Amino acid sequence: MTTLAHPPRKGYRTIRLPLAESEYDQFLTDRSYAKDRLEELYEECAELFPDAFPWGYAFFGYTESSIKQQLLCRRIRLEQSRTVFTIAPAFVMPYMTGRTQDVDHALFLRRFHVPYWAIAHVFGHDAMYWYRLEQGLGRFSLVGTTVKSPEHLPKDLVADEKHSWLKGERVYIATTAAQDCILGASVAPSASQGDLEKAYGVLPAKRRPWMPSMRRRPSIPMVGKPRKALGRPCSPRSR
């Protein structure tokens, strides 16, 4: 059993920015306004932009209008790498599957295991639409998606397994978290030392080159039943 996602050969070519829907028409039609907004957003959240963005770019037309949302997106071409990126607004979901404000409350209910058919009954569409929308949240790596500076990473991580079921069989979800944020989760078919270490190894495997290396430390004693020693919590340390 494997849970590793295969990265695309050409990499991601979309820059998703917090552009308000009220300003989006002006962003599409006014080149000066679009340039100023990109500069402002780069100052506010440079981690969302490719590394070569400061070396210059040129506007490179638009994408075709989305059939689902009737929405255009600007494109830019970086001067250094000649790579073309699409500028997508954050008020729409990836792949134009819906407006974020329209699906926010429905997806929140999935936290409480509300069935898809019930969500469809209240919010429209069908059950499969909401199933695909929720599954689509797992397309992207949680590690290093937006955090690109080592100083922003937590010093200490904590790891634990959640017992669950998959196709009628018990599985263990090896979860790594820090500062109220889940950094990684991978399914282990058993609670054996080898399977759990392989599942926890997904997090270091997705580590960006600039991220500090991770080394294990002795587990902090826990109140109650002793746990198996798997070297938790772990802490990233610079090489």
Side-chain angles (χ1 to χ4, degrees):
M1 179 183 296
T2 178
T3 59
L4 284 173
H6 297 286
R9 293 182 180 180
K10 296 183 179 180
Y12 296 111
R13 294 290 182 264
T14 299
I15 305 173
R16 193 165 299 276
L17 300 177
L19 294 165
E21 192 165 1
S22 58
E23 67 171 325
Y24 194 64
D25 285 341
Q26 186 177 3
F27 181 80
L28 291 177
T29 57
D30 190 335
R31 291 173 61 91
S32 297
Y33 179 82
K35 187 177 186 303
D36 292 340
R37 284 296 285 139
L38 289 179
E39 296 297 331
E40 292 174 1
L41 291 172
Y42 180 77
E43 291 296 327
E44 296 174 5
C45 42
E47 66 274 9
L48 300 179
F49 290 79
D51 296 336
F53 183 83
W55 280 266
Y57 66 91
F59 289 117
F60 199 72
Y62 304 86
T63 62
E64 295 183 2
S65 179
S66 166
I67 298 177
K68 301 175 183 177
Q69 300 298 324
Q70 302 297 315
L71 198 69
L72 293 173
C73 291
R74 272 194 179 277
R75 297 194 301 175
I76 62 172
R77 185 174 64 185
L78 302 181
E79 296 293 345
Q80 187 182 63
S81 61
R82 313 300 289 178
T83 305
V84 176
F85 283 84
T86 297
I87 307 295
F91 61 81
V92 292
M93 296 290 288
Y95 300 97
M96 301 291 178
T97 52
R99 293 292 208 271
T100 53
Q101 63 179 6
D102 296 335
V103 304
D104 179 32
H105 297 303
L107 292 178
F108 173 75
L109 295 178
R110 283 296 301 158
R111 182 178 181 181
F112 307 98
H113 307 290
V114 176
Y116 298 111
W117 65 264
I119 293 177
H121 180 74
V122 176
F123 293 94
H125 300 284
D126 55 24
M128 188 56 67
Y129 170 83
W130 296 108
Y131 169 79
R132 293 195 184 104
L133 206 60
E134 183 187 28
Q135 297 303 310
L137 297 177
R139 290 192 182 105
F140 304 100
S141 170
L142 297 178
V143 181
T145 300
T146 57
V147 180
K148 297 185 178 180
S149 301
E151 59 270 18
H152 293 161
L153 292 173
K155 294 182 179 180
D156 296 295
L157 311 179
V158 64
D160 199 3
E161 305 89 49
K162 174 179 173 57
H163 298 194
S164 186
W165 296 88
L166 179 63
K167 296 181 178 180
E169 297 183 3
R170 181 180 291 276
V171 294
Y172 302 84
I173 304 176
T175 307
T176 307
Q179 297 180 355
D180 298 326
C181 179
I182 295 178
L183 300 176
S186 183
V187 176
S190 73
S192 67
Q193 181 94 4
D195 285 341
L196 289 178
E197 287 190 347
K198 183 178 180 181
Y200 282 118
V202 173
L203 176 62
K206 292 185 178 181
R207 186 173 59 87
R208 293 289 184 89
W210 49 262
M211 289 183 178
S213 60
M214 296 180 181
R215 68 177 181 86
R216 294 173 179 173
R217 300 188 306 179
S219 299
I220 297 176
M222 300 176 64
V223 177
K225 186 177 180 180
R227 301 294 305 274
K228 293 182 179 180
L230 288 175
R232 299 184 303 272
C234 56
S235 173
R237 288 289 183 264
S238 299
R239 291 185 181 129

